[in-house]
């Protein structure tokens, strides 16, 4: 029992020392993070949203493995997430006009002014989970717009014909 | 006695407006082509509709108001002034049809912001906007930056004195070449050459930081157009922060500075006169002003310990300062951070930089460096007059393309425009405060709109009052046209009501 208690204390000590003092595992919105940057700076947070734009792979340096920048939009703002390139492999769709991007849940350290990235506000991912798959957006031609275009074309032709008569 | 405008005046104004509208319609062929190539059906339809409406309106004005007469000064100024309003409305049609704007007013706000090279935005869900609409957002600054009337001059006008009146009406009082039409064409030549170089440079950087090649060059073209024309629009909602790249930021800084320089500098450089950039009062004032305002921003950021490292402070602070001073409005911080983190002193530094602006005869806004330089020189001259004996003759001169002796008349006109800008900044801030926003935030946003900058501390959003949106639209318009055309149209309206 005594040994177990000691090892529990050691584990607790490391947990307190190594990990950030607070974590916000319940998931935070980008607005909440941006309004309270100082409060969440350096803390473990959970953030989720749609992958947008390009997944930007960055080459490995001597000190680190290959990484990627993934921008995730939660519907209010998009935040940059710096993640191991292996995490980014789960991404199949990134949001654009023709696609709805995958929804990811990222758990990582929030940086108000990241030392590694020239003062950028970012999240360094420690774990990434896909919540929903993205998809291609099927675009159907809007019949209202087509009709309006034909009406305008008709009016233009009418003016042209009238101007021909006027010239004569 | 005020004379009521005659029917003839209205016909001439209408005829030239028709020409400008047709010119604008032609520019819509670019997004239509983009929509067809990228297979974006509905966006292409939005532009076909806007194209048809523009052609219809343009042709009607040409037919109804047909005249062979040339423009006089008053008519020229009014044509310019109205052409910006009409361009705002017609350009807003495809954006509104995209469904990414809360109202037609929001779409008008966006297009006026683009055409005047401001960069404040009310777009919703920008990250899902089509290539077609996104290109149009960035093409707006490229058209407006060079000047809507300049397009007309280079396309339709063949050497009339009315051309000069429209050129001056768009806030340009310097000709690079003796003929104003050649000047307009040269401005286009410079802009297109830089567009090609800038797009290639940004495209290569984009690929190197992980963008897909097609996206890299699309983003390159967009960022160049909005950067060179000091507008500050970007294809993604995070603006320049989206790229997470120091190299991208450096290239953008270079583009912003090039865009905010006088077209005369570019002409002198093309002509091989490199000494001009060192000797000119504008470039000297610009350099000193950047240093001073950056000093204020750096002290402000350092006092509050906003950035833990000097490098980060320099990277963020200098980028935002250059973005503010060149009146571009690109951001590498979130607008919420300005208020929550940057503190009053750094914000005051940015407000000063925005208010002063870039160079005259460029795409930049604000009071402008030539005027600031002349005001400083006039101040120095007056100080000398006080210090020196009464009989002493004090003469100040400055170098701007040539040696110029300062005259009271010139100083007076410079001070009037400077005062007009300051009043415009303050009036916008008062309207902001009327709607309950704090003083510093209101002044920041108002200066950003009136100086055609585009940096935002968060006031500009879809939920802001409609009257404030209209206020900012008027500020962007008046600031871009440097008041003369705006004063003329006000005078025209008074004459129409009270004249005999």
């Amino acid at each position: 029992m005594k040994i177990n208690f000691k090892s529990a204390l050691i584990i607790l000590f490391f947990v307190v020392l190594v990990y950030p003092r607070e974590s916000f595992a319940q998931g935070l919105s980008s607005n909440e993070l941006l309004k309270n940057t100082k409060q969440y700076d350096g803390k473990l947070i959970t953030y989720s949203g749609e992958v947008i734009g390009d997944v930007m792979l960055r080459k490995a340096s001597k000190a680190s493995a290959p990484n990627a920048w993934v921008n995730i939009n939660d519907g209010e703002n998009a935040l940059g997430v710096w993640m191991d390139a292996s995490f980014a492999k789960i991404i199949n769709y990134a949001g654009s006009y023709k696609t709805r991007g995958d929804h990811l849940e990222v758990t990582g350290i929030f940086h108000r002014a990241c030392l590694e990235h020239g003062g950028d506000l970012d999240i360094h991912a420690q774990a990434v989970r896909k919540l929903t798959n993205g998809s291609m957006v099927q675009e159907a031609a809007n019949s209202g717009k087509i009709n309006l275009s034909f009406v305008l074309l008709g009016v233009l032709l009418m003016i042209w014909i009238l101007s021909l008569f006027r010239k004569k | 006695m005020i004379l009521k405008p005659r029917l003839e005046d209205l016909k001439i104004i209408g005829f030239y407006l028709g020409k400008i509208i047709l010119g604008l319609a032609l520019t819509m062929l670019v997004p239509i082509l983009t929509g067809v190539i990228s297979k974006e059906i509905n966006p292409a339809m939005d532009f076909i509709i806007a194209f048809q409406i523009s052609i219809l309106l343009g042709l009607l004005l040409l037919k109804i108001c047909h005249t062979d007469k040339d423009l006089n000064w008053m008519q020229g100024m009014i044509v310019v002034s109205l052409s910006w309003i009409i361009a705002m409305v017609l350009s807003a049609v495809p954006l509104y049809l995209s469904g990414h704007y809360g109202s037609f007013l929001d779409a008008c706000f966006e297009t006026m912001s683009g055409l005047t090279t401001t960069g404040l935005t009310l777009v919703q869900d920008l990250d899902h906007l089509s290539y077609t609409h996104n290109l149009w957002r960035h093409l707006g600054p490229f058209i407006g930056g060079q000047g809507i009337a300049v397009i007309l001059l280079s396309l339709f006008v063949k050497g009339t004195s009315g051309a000069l009146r429209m050129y001056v009406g768009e806030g340009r009082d310097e000709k690079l070449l003796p003929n104003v039409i050649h000047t307009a064409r040269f401005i286009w030549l410079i802009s297109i050459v830089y567009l090609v170089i800038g797009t290639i440079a940004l495209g290569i950087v984009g690929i190197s930081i992980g963008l897909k090649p097609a996206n890299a060059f699309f983003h390159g073209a967009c960022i160049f157009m909005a950067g060179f024309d000091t507008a500050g629009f970007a294809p993604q909602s995070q603006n320049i922060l989206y790229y997470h790249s120091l190299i991208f930021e450096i290239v953008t800084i270079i583009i912003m500075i090039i865009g905010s320089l006088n077209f005369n500098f570019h002409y002198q450089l093309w002509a091989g006169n490199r000494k001009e950039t060192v000797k000119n009062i504008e470039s000297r004032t610009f350099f000193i002003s950047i240093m001073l305002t950056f000093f204020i921003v750096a002290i402000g950021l350092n006092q509050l310990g906003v950035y833990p490292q000097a490098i980060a402070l320099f990277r963020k602070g200098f980028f935002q300062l250059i973005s503010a001073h060149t009146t571009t409005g690109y951001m590498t911080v979130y607008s919420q951070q300005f208020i929550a983190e940057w503190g009053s002193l750094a914000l005051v530094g940015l407000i000063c930089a925005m208010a002063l602006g870039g160079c005259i005869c460029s795409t930049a806004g604000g009071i402008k460096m030539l005027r600031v330089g002349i005001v400083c020189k006039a101040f120095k001259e007056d100080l000398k007059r006080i210090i020196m004996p009464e009989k002493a003759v004090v003469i100040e001169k400055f170098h701007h393309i040539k040696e110029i002796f300062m005259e009271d008349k010139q100083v007076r006109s410079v001070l009037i425009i400077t005062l007009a800008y300051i009043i415009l900044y303050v009036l916008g801030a008062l309207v902001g405060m009327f709607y309950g926003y704090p003083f510093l935030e209101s002044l920041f946003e108002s200066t950003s709109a009136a100086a055609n900058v585009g940096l935002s501390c968060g006031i500009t959003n879809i939920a802001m009052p409609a009257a404030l949106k209209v206020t900012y639209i008027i500020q962007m318009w008046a600031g871009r046209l440097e008041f003369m055309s705006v004063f003329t149209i006000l005078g025209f309206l008074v004459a129409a009501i009270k004249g005999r």
Side-chain angles (χ1 to χ4, degrees), chain A residues 82-101:
Chain A
W82 178 243
M83 61 175 71
D84 195 284
S86 60
F87 288 154
K89 283 181 183 166
I90 62 166
I91 300 167
N92 295 322
Y93 292 98
S96 67
Y97 176 71
K98 288 185 175 176
T99 50
R100 295 287 132 187

Side-chain angles (χ1 to χ4, degrees), chain B residues 84-85 87-115 120-124 233 435 460-476:
Chain B
W84 284 75
I85 307 274
M88 171 189 80
V89 174
L90 292 174
S91 306
V93 171
L95 292 188
Y96 179 63
L97 290 173
S98 73
H100 282 258
Y101 293 87
S103 63
F104 192 70
L105 178 65
D106 287 7
C108 285
F109 183 98
E110 187 87 357
T111 49
M112 183 56 97
S113 175
L115 290 167
L120 290 170
T121 183
L122 289 179
V123 64
Q124 296 174 30
F233 279 156
Y435 282 103
T460 301
N461 64 68
I462 48 166
M464 74 173 170
L468 198 54
K469 289 175 190 171
V470 174
T471 304
Y472 289 158
I473 287 175
I474 294 168
Q475 281 189 297
M476 292 188 269

Side-chain angles (χ1 to χ4, degrees), chain B residues 392-453:
Chain B
V393 178
V394 181
I395 295 168
E396 275 290 334
K397 63 175 184 175
F398 59 89
H399 182 88
H400 179 63
I401 313 299
K402 58 186 179 187
E403 292 296 320
I404 302 168
F405 286 98
M406 245 170 53
E407 292 170 14
D408 284 350
K409 194 181 156 191
Q410 187 185 35
V411 175
R412 185 173 170 270
S413 73
V414 162
L415 281 172
I416 286 172
I417 299 285
T418 306
L419 189 65
Y421 269 111
I422 292 168
I423 291 170
L424 194 64
Y425 299 151
V426 173
L427 283 178
L430 284 173
V431 177
M433 283 189 285
F434 176 78
Y435 282 103
Y437 296 102
F439 168 71
L440 200 64
E441 291 169 44
S442 300
L443 185 64
F444 187 95
E445 212 79 357
S446 164
T447 310
S448 180
N452 305 128
V453 182

Side-chain angles (χ1 to χ4, degrees), chain A residues 31 34-35 37-38 50 52-58 69-73 77-81 95-101 112-122 139-142 144-146 148-150 152-153 155-156 159 163 166-167, chain B residues 38-43 45-46 48-49 52-53 55-56 59-60 63-64 97-98 100 125 127-131 208-212 215-216 236-238 241-245 249 304-309 311-312 315-316 332 334 336-337 340-341:
Chain A
N31 267 349
L34 291 172
K35 276 181 192 163
T37 49
K38 285 175 186 165
E50 182 194 357
I52 48 109
D54 285 335
V55 173
M56 290 177 273
L57 290 169
R58 299 287 160 96
W69 275 110
V70 177
N71 293 299
I72 296 180
N73 192 329
N77 303 279
L79 298 182
V81 179
S96 67
Y97 176 71
K98 288 185 175 176
T99 50
R100 295 287 132 187
R112 183 186 63 79
C114 179
L115 286 174
E116 194 184 336
H117 298 114
D120 278 3
L121 183 146
D122 63 20
E139 190 189 22
N142 185 321
K145 287 178 185 178
I146 294 171
L148 178 61
S149 176
F150 275 116
L152 287 167
L153 190 66
V155 176
L156 269 171
I159 288 176
S163 69
R166 211 178 156 191
K167 268 184 188 173
Chain B
S38 54
K39 293 174 186 166
E40 294 173 340
I41 308 160
N42 287 320
M45 283 307 302
D46 296 343
I48 289 169
I49 291 167
Q52 288 170 319
I53 294 172
I55 292 281
L56 194 64
L59 285 178
L60 278 175
K63 294 282 173 201
I64 295 166
L97 290 173
S98 73
H100 282 258
D125 194 16
D127 297 318
H128 291 104
L129 192 67
S130 66
Y131 285 115
S208 76
I209 62 171
L211 294 177
K212 286 174 191 155
N215 274 350
Q236 301 283 157
S237 61
Q238 288 153 288
L241 192 58
Y242 168 83
Y243 304 98
H244 306 284
S245 163
E249 287 168 27
L304 297 177
V306 180
Y307 295 104
Q309 284 177 334
I311 295 172
R315 182 171 162 184
K316 292 289 170 190
T332 55
Y334 291 90
Q336 294 95 322
Q337 287 183 281
E341 296 175 23

